Amino acid sequence: KGNRQRSVLVQAVFRSNFLLYGLPVAERISGAEGAGVVSMLLAMIIPLFNFFAVFTLEFFSDKNGKGKKFNMKPIFLEILKNPLIIAAAAGILLALFKVKLPVFLSAPIGDLAKCATPIALLSLGMQFDFKKVNTNKTYLMMGTAGRLIVVPALALAAAVFRGIGGAELTALLSLFASPAAVTSYIMAHEAGADSDLAGQLVVATTIFSSVTVFCFVFVLHSLSLI
């Protein structure tokens, strides 16, 4: 019921760790073809994820609390100032104008990117407080079930109904069945939302995704869809 928890739950359910978790999954299942489809999806999905994550956190922030008149202008100003949005926009511009970063910049940035998720998960694991899990138990179950079961089940069923299969379905599987994005914890903390719940959702969805992703892959493979 609280806005601090509501924004975190909404973000966790729709925002998956598509880049760092989904890409390797698609590559393992469908090889280079699957990775190619994921790469095309990434160009659209990552900016959208970042935009709607910032929007959600700002929409449910204290600035738009109960009894206050809703104002869209400050929300869009915060979105424009967000580092993730700026970085996504800069990347799109570099891609459009075919600008390549020099090796002395691209190499260390690439190495740092590869380390980001393991380090973030290690930090979250070290800060994990089992006492707070009991407090957020209901929200944690809702968020984990929504991210790992409800969303992928609905999305994949719709995709199969539309006749999508093979590498394209694998790409959608990696998009919708991945655990909650690690950066959702950082963004929740910066926005003043319930960062404890956000961190717990990242940890829980990351752990249980090993089971749910396997189940989805098994079912789709058994039906000869991937």
Side-chain angles (χ1 to χ4, degrees), residues 64-70:
N64 299 296
K66 191 174 181 181
K68 294 183 180 179
K69 186 179 179 181
F70 177 72

Side-chain angles (χ1 to χ4, degrees), residues 113-167:
K114 292 173 185 176
C115 299
T117 296
I119 292 173
L121 288 171
L122 181 63
S123 300
L124 282 172
M126 291 171 66
Q127 296 174 34
F128 202 79
D129 189 342
F130 287 94
K131 292 179 181 178
K132 291 182 179 178
V133 170
N134 288 328
T135 306
N136 294 324
K137 184 167 60 177
T138 303
Y139 294 139
L140 199 55
M141 288 190 293
M142 288 169 59
T144 303
R147 169 91 298 276
L148 298 181
I149 300 172
V150 178
V151 167
L154 291 174
L156 293 172
V160 171
F161 179 76
R162 294 290 297 171
I164 298 173

